[in-house]
Amino acid sequence: MIALDGVSKVYRGADGEVRALDDVSLAVAAGEFVAVRGASGCGKSTLLLTVGGMVRPTAGTVSLDGRDLYALSHAERARLRAERIGFVFQMFHLVPYLSALDNVLVPVLAGMRPGRGEAAAVLERLGMAERMTHRPPELSTGERQRVALARALVKRPEIILADEPTGNLDPENAAAVMGYLADFHREGGTILVVSHDALAEDHADRTLRLERGQLV
């Protein structure tokens, strides 16, 4: 389903080059849960954004079902992301002046199909039935992460890409969020999660390690 072949990403700045990814090759099958572990700064986020069609690699190819993502136009990649991929980020990226329910409905602005009833149902499933009208500043860190997860799930994506989804959470909330991702996997979804901790390993089909931009 997802395939990276010889992918490198080099950032160039005033202090020289930083090789965030270095000749990475990786395949993730449909319905597979793959965790990638590594220390901060090893290239995990760059890997995820490259897979998601958001950061063009310096070398190599990234394909989804045999289609080279970066041979597509910007609009075609955006449409593919909207239709097939859900993103979950460590920093949540919620709109502070919208309610939890309206934050989940943000994908509707991109032409996606979910309505208020479906968004509410996803929040209820994630234990947020009593918090739907609250705005992000009124929610706990764990509740904000569940809203971010609901926003990804409401699109009914085939793939979830999760970047340190438990990094800001206490152990109880971290276990709950990872459990919700495991539920998505059991229902046939494909997951690629990058993390510096071991929690995802309990649910993943396999775990890889990234060091200095290389899979080892």
Side-chain angles (χ1 to χ4, degrees):
M1 186 176 205
I2 300 167
L4 283 71
D5 185 11
V7 169
S8 295
K9 178 61 182 178
V10 177
Y11 294 102
R12 295 177 174 86
D15 296 327
E17 294 185 348
V18 175
R19 187 169 289 272
L21 297 175
D22 188 2
D23 195 26
V24 172
S25 293
L26 169 67
V28 179
E32 191 175 18
F33 188 151
V34 175
V36 179
R37 290 190 62 196
S40 296
C42 72
K44 300 189 306 296
S45 294
T46 299
L47 173 66
L48 209 68
L49 293 173
T50 301
V51 170
M54 299 174 74
V55 171
R56 182 182 293 274
T58 306
T61 58
V62 181
S63 58
L64 179 61
D65 292 336
R67 298 177 69 192
D68 183 346
L69 289 184
Y70 294 95
L72 302 176
S73 68
H74 178 79
E76 288 171 327
R77 283 200 308 278
R79 184 164 57 249
L80 183 148
R81 284 194 302 268
E83 293 174 350
R84 303 186 63 182
I85 301 174
F87 290 89
V88 182
F89 298 103
Q90 181 181 5
M91 300 307 294
F92 317 137
H93 298 299
L94 301 178
V95 182
Y97 54 82
L98 295 181
S99 69
L101 180 59
D102 286 336
N103 264 285
V104 175
L105 283 166
V106 164
V108 175
L109 300 177
M112 298 306 295
R113 58 180 173 268
R116 294 186 75 82
E118 189 169 354
V122 175
L123 281 170
E124 288 176 10
R125 183 178 178 184
L126 299 184
M128 293 290 290
E130 306 301 321
R131 308 290 280 170
M132 291 188 200
T133 60
H134 291 72
R135 291 176 297 173
E138 301 169 317
L139 301 174
S140 70
T141 302
E143 288 169 338
R144 277 178 272 166
Q145 186 59 291
R146 279 182 275 170
V147 174
L149 180 57
R151 183 182 55 197
L153 292 172
V154 77
K155 302 191 302 180
R156 301 181 189 173
E158 300 169 41
I159 303 163
I160 283 185
L161 303 178
D163 187 0
E164 299 281 8
T166 61
N168 288 326
L169 305 182
D170 60 63
E172 182 178 355
N173 278 298
V177 166
M178 199 57 65
Y180 296 134
L181 289 174
D183 290 342
F184 172 80
H185 174 234
R186 280 191 289 271
E187 293 167 2
T190 304
I191 298 178
L192 179 63
V193 57
V194 299
S195 178
H196 68 275
D197 63 39
L199 184 60
E201 291 188 50
D202 295 336
H203 302 286
D205 297 314
R206 59 191 170 110
T207 301
L208 307 174
R209 179 170 291 278
L210 194 66
E211 293 183 4
R212 298 181 180 179
Q214 295 182 319
L215 286 177
V216 297

